[in-house]
Amino acid sequence: MDAPRVKRARSTNPPNEVDRLSNLPDCLIFQVLLYLPTIDVVKTSVLSTRWTTLWKHVPGLDLDTNDFNKLETFVTFVDNFLERNHGSSVHRLKLVYDSSEAEEPNTGRVKRWLDTAAKLKVEHLNVSDNSPQSWDLVMSPRVYTCSSLVSLQLLGITLPSPERVSLPSLKYIVLILVEFANKWALEKFITKCPVLENFCIERSYSDQVSVLRVHSKSLLTFMHNSDNHEDFDEERIIEIDAPMLTYLRIRDARSTSFIIKNPPSLVEAYIDTVFNLTSERWLGVANEIQKRGMVCDFLVGISKVKHMTIASSTLEVIYDYSKYVQLPVFRNLCSLRVRFDSYMWEMLPVFLEVCPNLKYLAVGTCENSEMVGLTVIARPWNLLSSLEFVEIERPLKGEALEMALVGYFLENSPILKILSIRLDDSLKKGESVYKLTLSLDDEPMKEESDIFIELLNFPRLSSSCHIVVG
């Protein structure tokens, strides 16, 4: 595409103000406009004579059918853009397509657009099909051999079975509710991306991929999201072989098995899965050797992680299996965040015992956590010898189970520096307690509530520990 010659717009600014935007060369203005929705880019045509047709030369398109009163107008706009760029290259193409109002939906035209974009050496491709007949739209096979493609994001589209894949530049893949022509399509796609760094997938409950293999020597980030669905109970297996992986996020209520080969040195992980076990089945299958081994192998696979967020449901499965198998040691773990669905604190110390170098711990619960009749922190535990900072995120009401958790940290952490808690609004007496630090030398005052007196009276193993109340 031949860029227009740089012209200076007639200034309408006060004498002391400089119109820096109009003084920029076209190439820089195009870079700015590339990151705006096209509907807003077109509006710049009223700025001055120079801007009247400048938007037409932006090498990118970001359109949504909802921006148009008629689908035909949207179609014409896209056709004109692709025709205008014939013989040049397209940097970015983002289309949100919804043919629900069309009398005869034509998914073929979207496939043609994708085919043309690949021919125009598109670098960033983002296509969403929000139509009721979503998944009838099949991606153009030509995208599989688009050598210029750097990022690909698809929603509600079917990936065809690739005969040939050559994507030497593709670094980012996001697949949301995508279907596959067969169970091998995704695996073949992933393995043929030699520089892939980020792969995010939100699974469709009917994608028919029972075994998802993610094998990549370059992958740094992998995110897998899969909700459960009562109409589909087929077991799923996820196999990850990515030795360079640094970030792993799993939010999965359906997959039964996670296999991690060549365990990576993870920097960060978010784990929320129960390995397709319901609460009624946990105890019933805990003695199954195969299931025990799978859970243990998964924990070994992530045991090098440095920072982790874990759901209490996952922690509960680990707690159950710890009765039968020895948990691996998480020697590198320095920060941990856990959000509880109930007051079942007892399973937390079990996991903390295998985190010998943990320095920061955040403990939270859902707003309406269920009270359960457990004897909290019922047996003596090992000292939390490395723990320096603890944050209890849920506002405390002074209930026995809450205070037992506070006491556990104060009485078992020899180098604890700060224990940060929040009080429920019902316990606050004026502005002065919205931020308060209680040190070991403080004396309880008469006007303080019972919870402050209890906090000050707790034995503390660390002489330098401060309780920060917010």
Side-chain angles (χ1 to χ4, degrees), residues 71 74-76 78-79 82 93 95 97 108-118 125 140:
L71 180 62
F74 171 84
V75 171
T76 300
V78 178
D79 283 338
L82 294 175
L93 180 65
L95 299 176
Y97 183 77
R109 67 162 64 99
V110 183
K111 185 176 180 180
R112 172 172 54 82
W113 291 337
L114 297 180
D115 189 80
T116 303
L125 184 61
S140 168

Side-chain angles (χ1 to χ4, degrees), residues 131-142:
S131 307
Q133 67 280 0
S134 185
W135 301 321
D136 289 348
L137 172 57
V138 180
M139 186 186 75
S140 168
R142 188 181 291 272

Side-chain angles (χ1 to χ4, degrees), residues 145-171:
T145 56
C146 182
S147 61
S148 59
L149 194 61
V150 175
S151 68
L152 176 66
Q153 180 168 331
L154 303 175
L155 184 153
I157 293 175
T158 295
L159 286 183
S161 179
E163 294 182 3
R164 178 172 174 263
V165 180
S166 179
L167 295 164
S169 304
L170 190 58
K171 293 184 178 182

Side-chain angles (χ1 to χ4, degrees), residues 255-270:
S255 298
T256 59
S257 179
F258 294 89
I259 301 170
I260 299 182
K261 296 185 175 181
N262 297 314
S265 296
L266 290 170
V267 174
E268 187 174 355
Y270 178 101

